[in-house]
Amino acid sequence: MCGIVAYTGFRNATPLLVEGLRRLEYRGYDSAGIAVFSGERFQIYKQAGKVSALAQAIRGEDISGTVGIAHTRWATHGAPTHANAHPHLSYDENVVLVHNGIIENHGFLRARLEKEGIHPVSETDTEILSHWIAWVRRQFPTLTWTEVIRRAFADVEGTFGVAMMVREAPNLLILVRRFSPLLIGLGQGEFIAASDATAVIPHTREVIHLAEDQAAILHPDMDEPQIFGLREQACAPRREYIDWDVAAIERGGYPHFMLKEIFEQPQAIRDCIRGRIRQEPLEVRLGGISGVMDRILGASRLTLVGCGTSWHAALVGKYLIEQLVQVPVNVEYASEFRYRDPVILHGDVVMGISQSGETADTLAALRMAKSRGALILGVTNVVGSSIPRETHAGIYIHAGPEIGVASTKAFTAQLSALTLFALHLGAVRYTIDRNLHDLLIERLLTLPDLVAQTLDRLNEPIKKLAESFASATNALYLGRGYNFPVALEGALKLKEISYIHAEGYPAAEMKHGPIALIDKNMPVVVIALRDSLYEKVLSNIQEVRARGGRVIAIATEGDENIQQYAESVFYIPDVPEPLSPILTVLPLQLLAYHTAVLRGCDVDQPRNLAKSVTVE
Ligand code: F6R
């Protein structure tokens, strides 16, 4: 949610900042802005719209300086206009800053500033923050900036990742963090800070993640950033190394990140299972949770929390864990769980599933569960993000950077990780039949190749199908059992990037309401595998056909019978039911992608969305 990049060093900051914004744009793209200190004054440029509009606006301008901050916005307070775009300059022009998060008591701070005759011009909470810090500085002109920051933020409530410059101290860059992530890239004589590693790793892989309620002062003459706590002494910062490949965050010849990431799924699954399966005896090893296995095994139930696609992965996780581990599993929307005073029993285990590791509601749900005594686990992709830092233990999915706003490879990697988790627990608890255990592991190992073949085989036919989808206004996705969550995921993918209204339903539930929507214009995608529910799903298909609905079936390879029931059939390889969601979701991802492209939608940056939802 919003992207921040900041620089202090010896180079001209402007190109580096604009390039950083391009890499961060998937976090928000309502408006963008940059401020560079030219030696005497701040040069500030902002533009409503995308980073390309900002880049266009500053082309030919002489904007240079060795310290600067930049921002790409996903609007929370105030419309995405020029006035509301960041950076925001304080009333006395001493402070300029960019901000990610929400200042919850901005009304209170505004009132205090107005009493002093300071009147904000934009609608944003961020502008208030800039005046507020400048005003506190004026009250305490002799204090160090460490003390000014502590005093100013003592009265600020909400969430923030802030990067700021001050005119009185050229080349100084100040960062402040509560909740919204910030990391500092450590270069030779330079620091590159950002809300997300993608803007930092082209320059350096040595980083320090700012922890909760920490701030940092950076100056090119410093060997190390000066890190301090907002409330108390900060712990010694820990340097980390990020091993993501720069090429992996480029589009690599694909027209969109989403398509690239769909086709990266074989590798993502391979990376997720690599090193976690031991032969003879065949078994799963999960080093990230080995230290807390006793507590996991002692739990009488598990709760999985997440949002959006990660919540869908959690639903599949429920089917997997209940079948293979025989432990009851609750799946909760993180945003509901955290606010409804849930019962957390002694010995409970709460697992947060999150690609970014930064989703505000998922993080807050885990924190709440931790404060009530639960063991909290994370299944995350982004190494060093907040969730893995705050959980007791966890599993990285190792999907590599996911840039397209619509989650694809993270979903199948999450399912792979949850399958490993269920297999591991099932084996240790002896709740899974040994033959099934070995079969699932063997077939899991073949999945990367099956996924690659399926994508290659289905891409063109699905592109063709998309031509008839592009004019639809509604679509229904049906599935049962393990593939009910996939129906939800297929519908989410379609609506978020093509703006066609779509709903996912358990196939049998359709007749309790949605069936009223079916007519000849309504495409109905049905996941109808030859599994334990095959006959039931065929009956559901008949119900759709009887009302004139168009049926598109996702079926098991070799099932010719299904052809008489469906307008078109897309086959996936025959795998055991618990593994099937990793394959059935592939045609649905491709369908959403090609439909969105045909409708001229911005696939990687759909309207109103942002990749990492770090506000509530
Ligand atoms: C949908 C999508 C979102 C995310 C959700 C959670 O394609 O990407 O629904 O799944 O915002 O994000 P993470 O997994 O980062 O917690």
Side-chain angles (χ1 to χ4, degrees), residues 201-528:
I201 56 175
H203 308 287
T204 174
R205 281 151 192 288
E206 292 274 343
V207 302
I208 291 175
H209 287 89
L210 269 194
E212 262 318 80
D213 277 330
Q214 279 190 347
I217 294 189
L218 311 174
H219 189 283
D221 293 343
M222 293 173 168
D223 292 332
E224 289 275 332
Q226 181 200 338
I227 294 183
F228 57 96
L230 288 180
R231 294 177 173 149
E232 49 205 39
Q233 215 55 34
C235 322
R238 195 158 48 98
R239 280 175 176 247
E240 289 172 61
Y241 185 82
I242 299 182
D243 61 2
W244 279 0
D245 189 1
V246 178
I249 55 172
E250 310 285 357
R251 278 207 300 268
Y254 285 90
H256 298 99
F257 279 112
M258 183 180 174
L259 191 62
K260 172 177 176 251
E261 288 159 7
I262 288 174
F263 276 88
E264 278 173 349
Q265 290 180 104
Q267 193 57 39
I269 297 166
R270 211 170 274 130
D271 289 343
C272 179
I273 55 186
R274 174 174 299 130
R276 289 171 164 168
I277 293 178
R278 232 177 70 154
Q279 305 286 338
E280 292 174 28
L282 208 50
E283 63 182 18
V284 173
R285 285 286 176 94
L286 289 171
I289 55 166
S290 57
V292 294
M293 269 307 274
D294 286 351
R295 282 190 70 183
I296 299 175
L297 291 171
S300 56
R301 61 174 191 175
L302 299 179
T303 301
L304 307 186
V305 297
C307 304
T309 291
S310 294
W311 183 79
H312 297 156
L315 278 181
V316 179
K318 173 184 169 76
Y319 284 83
L320 284 164
I321 297 165
E322 291 195 339
Q323 182 188 346
L324 305 180
V325 193
Q326 299 289 302
V327 169
V329 178
N330 299 328
V331 176
E332 301 268 2
Y333 284 115
S335 53
E336 289 296 312
F337 182 69
R338 63 179 287 204
Y339 284 119
R340 70 169 169 72
D341 196 15
V343 178
I344 297 189
L345 303 173
H346 180 72
D348 266 1
V349 174
V350 178
M351 176 186 267
I353 301 178
S354 171
Q355 186 284 129
S356 61
E358 300 293 354
T359 297
D361 282 321
T362 310
L363 183 56
L366 289 170
R367 283 181 180 160
M368 183 268 284
K370 189 182 196 179
S371 73
R372 295 182 182 197
L375 176 79
I376 57 166
L377 306 176
V379 173
T380 42
N381 190 30
V382 179
V383 176
S385 57
S386 298
I387 289 177
R389 292 158 71 82
E390 295 200 23
T391 41
H392 294 109
I395 306 170
Y396 278 120
I397 63 170
H398 297 309
E402 191 179 68
I403 307 290
V405 166
S407 189
T408 51
K409 64 176 178 171
F411 179 69
T412 44
Q414 285 166 341
L415 299 190
S416 307
L418 288 165
T419 306
L420 291 172
F421 179 73
L423 283 167
H424 183 46
L425 251 63
V428 181
R429 288 176 68 116
Y430 297 106
T431 48
I432 176 172
D433 171 77
R434 188 75 220 176
N435 292 333
L436 178 62
H437 171 269
D438 290 1
L439 173 76
L440 288 176
I441 294 186
E442 278 156 12
R443 297 311 305 272
L444 184 61
L445 288 167
T446 66
L447 272 185
D449 288 342
L450 296 182
V451 168
Q453 289 159 19
T454 308
L455 289 170
D456 286 343
R457 185 166 44 77
L458 293 186
N459 190 34
E460 281 306 319
I462 294 269
K463 194 169 171 181
K464 194 99 200 77
L465 171 72
E467 287 169 17
S468 65
F469 249 73
S471 55
T473 45
N474 293 292
L476 197 58
Y477 286 71
L478 303 178
R480 297 183 76 139
Y482 277 97
N483 284 297
F484 155 53
V486 178
L488 296 179
E489 176 62 5
L492 175 63
K493 286 291 89 93
L494 187 73
K495 65 187 146 195
E496 71 180 327
I497 59 167
S498 75
Y499 318 141
I500 294 174
H501 170 247
E503 291 205 48
Y505 255 85
E509 273 294 302
M510 177 196 56
K511 46 185 173 296
H512 300 283
I515 200 164
L517 295 170
I518 291 173
D519 61 19
K520 63 180 181 1
N521 300 317
M522 170 79 113
V524 183
V525 180
V526 187
I527 305 166

Side-chain angles (χ1 to χ4, degrees), residues 50-335:
K50 298 199 167 191
V51 173
S52 53
L54 175 75
Q56 180 68 28
I58 63 176
R59 190 163 298 145
E61 300 280 344
D62 177 23
I63 315 170
S64 60
T66 53
V67 56
I69 56 179
H71 188 263
T72 173
R73 179 167 185 248
W74 186 82
T76 54
H77 285 67
T81 59
H82 181 275
N84 290 337
H86 302 207
H88 286 282
L89 183 64
S90 65
Y91 68 101
D92 61 354
E93 302 193 357
N94 191 27
V95 169
V96 64
L97 58 79
V98 292
H99 161 229
N100 184 5
I102 295 176
I103 306 300
E104 282 166 5
N105 64 339
H106 64 96
F108 165 78
L109 297 175
R110 177 187 282 264
R112 279 193 56 184
L113 289 166
E114 284 183 341
K115 269 198 201 137
E116 304 296 330
I118 301 164
H119 299 283
V121 293
S122 77
E123 302 160 77
T124 65
D125 50 343
T126 305
E127 187 198 343
I128 311 265
L129 189 62
S130 69
H131 300 317
W132 177 251
I133 297 169
W135 183 76
V136 172
R137 176 12 140 219
R138 289 246 153 164
Q139 308 313 300
F140 301 100
T142 57
L143 288 186
T144 61
W145 270 99
T146 310
E147 279 312 313
V148 172
I149 291 296
R150 280 198 177 124
R151 281 181 190 255
F153 279 87
D155 287 320
V156 176
E157 290 169 14
T159 59
F160 38 82
V162 172
M164 63 179 255
M165 299 186 286
V166 284
R167 199 184 47 195
E168 63 176 66
N171 295 329
L172 212 64
L173 192 62
I174 301 177
L175 308 173
V176 192
R177 176 196 174 171
R178 175 174 300 156
F179 211 82
S180 299
L182 282 175
L183 77 162
I184 306 165
L186 312 167
Q188 297 288 334
E190 60 182 0
F191 297 103
I192 305 105
S195 48
D196 175 320
T198 47
V200 171
I201 56 175
H203 308 287
T204 174
R205 281 151 192 288
E206 292 274 343
V207 302
I208 291 175
H209 287 89
L210 269 194
E212 262 318 80
D213 277 330
Q214 279 190 347
I217 294 189
L218 311 174
H219 189 283
D221 293 343
M222 293 173 168
D223 292 332
E224 289 275 332
Q226 181 200 338
I227 294 183
F228 57 96
L230 288 180
R231 294 177 173 149
E232 49 205 39
Q233 215 55 34
C235 322
R238 195 158 48 98
R239 280 175 176 247
E240 289 172 61
Y241 185 82
I242 299 182
D243 61 2
W244 279 0
D245 189 1
V246 178
I249 55 172
E250 310 285 357
R251 278 207 300 268
Y254 285 90
H256 298 99
F257 279 112
M258 183 180 174
L259 191 62
K260 172 177 176 251
E261 288 159 7
I262 288 174
F263 276 88
E264 278 173 349
Q265 290 180 104
Q267 193 57 39
I269 297 166
R270 211 170 274 130
D271 289 343
C272 179
I273 55 186
R274 174 174 299 130
R276 289 171 164 168
I277 293 178
R278 232 177 70 154
Q279 305 286 338
E280 292 174 28
L282 208 50
E283 63 182 18
V284 173
R285 285 286 176 94
L286 289 171
I289 55 166
S290 57
V292 294
M293 269 307 274
D294 286 351
R295 282 190 70 183
I296 299 175
L297 291 171
S300 56
R301 61 174 191 175
L302 299 179
T303 301
L304 307 186
V305 297
C307 304
T309 291
S310 294
W311 183 79
H312 297 156
L315 278 181
V316 179
K318 173 184 169 76
Y319 284 83
L320 284 164
I321 297 165
E322 291 195 339
Q323 182 188 346
L324 305 180
V325 193
Q326 299 289 302
V327 169
V329 178
N330 299 328
V331 176
E332 301 268 2
Y333 284 115
S335 53

